[in-house]
Amino acid sequence: MAMNLLHRVCCSSRPWAAYTSRALVPWTLGDVTLGVRTVEIGPGYGANMASLLERTGHLTAIEIDRSSAARLTDRFGDRARIIAADGTDAGLPDGSYSSVVCFTMLHHVPTVALQDRLFAEAARMLEPGGVFAGSDGRHSRAFRAMHIGDTYNPVFPEDLADRLRTAGFDDVEVATGPVHQRWRAVTRGR
C-alpha cells in the first residue's frame, strides 16, 4: 500500500520506534496476553517487532512490500519469521496462532472490502479463543493531510465492532484515544 515520503521517513525513524515501544504498543495491548504464536500483519519498517518479541514465544510478520520484508528479514530474521505476502491472504494454516496484531496500517488498506478480508483472515488464522488486537489512527484533517499522495482509507471506530463481529469475532472491545483507536477481539469457538 502506497506511503508518501513523509510516512517513509517517519515510520522508519528511531523516534517512531521509541514511541511505539513506549506508548502505542502498551496502550494497544494493555493486559492482552499474546500467547505462544503471534502474527503481525503489516509491520512496515518493524517499529513494533522488538516489543512484540518480548511478549510472545514466536513471531511471524506478514509484510506486503517485498523490499520491506527483506529489510525485516535482515534485521529480525534470526528471531522472527518474515513472510512477503498480502495480509488479506497470508497462506498460513487455519487456527494455528494464539494472537494476530496490527498497528497503524489499516488506513493504508485501500478499500473497506479488503480491510474486512484482512479481519476475516486474522480470524481464520487464530485458534479458538485467540485474540486479534490492534490500533490505527483516527480520522482527522491533520491525519488526512499527512496522507497526501498516500493510500488513505480510515477505519471509523463506530463501525469497527460490527465489522469485527461479521469477520468471526466475539467479545469485541473498541476504544478511542486522542489520535488513535484500538480494538481487542476474541475468535469464536469452533
Side-chain angles (χ1 to χ4, degrees), residues 138-158:
R138 290 182 61 196
H139 175 68
S140 68
R141 287 186 184 138
F143 195 49
R144 174 66 189 114
M146 290 174 52
H147 291 82
I148 294 172
D150 239 89
T151 299
Y152 180 68
N153 183 30
V155 175
F156 294 96
E158 59 271 17

Side-chain angles (χ1 to χ4, degrees), residues 86-164:
D86 185 334
T88 67
D89 186 19
L92 295 172
D94 291 0
S96 297
Y97 296 89
S98 53
S99 56
V100 174
V101 297
C102 60
F103 300 89
T104 61
M105 56 72 68
L106 280 177
H107 62 277
H108 287 286
V109 178
T111 67
V112 168
L114 285 172
Q115 289 170 344
D116 289 343
R117 278 182 46 196
L118 188 144
F119 298 154
E121 182 71 350
R124 184 194 64 76
M125 290 187 286
L126 285 167
E127 61 193 23
V131 65
F132 178 41
S135 63
D136 204 39
R138 290 182 61 196
H139 175 68
S140 68
R141 287 186 184 138
F143 195 49
R144 174 66 189 114
M146 290 174 52
H147 291 82
I148 294 172
D150 239 89
T151 299
Y152 180 68
N153 183 30
V155 175
F156 294 96
E158 59 271 17
D159 303 328
L160 185 54
D162 286 339
R163 291 173 67 190
L164 290 169

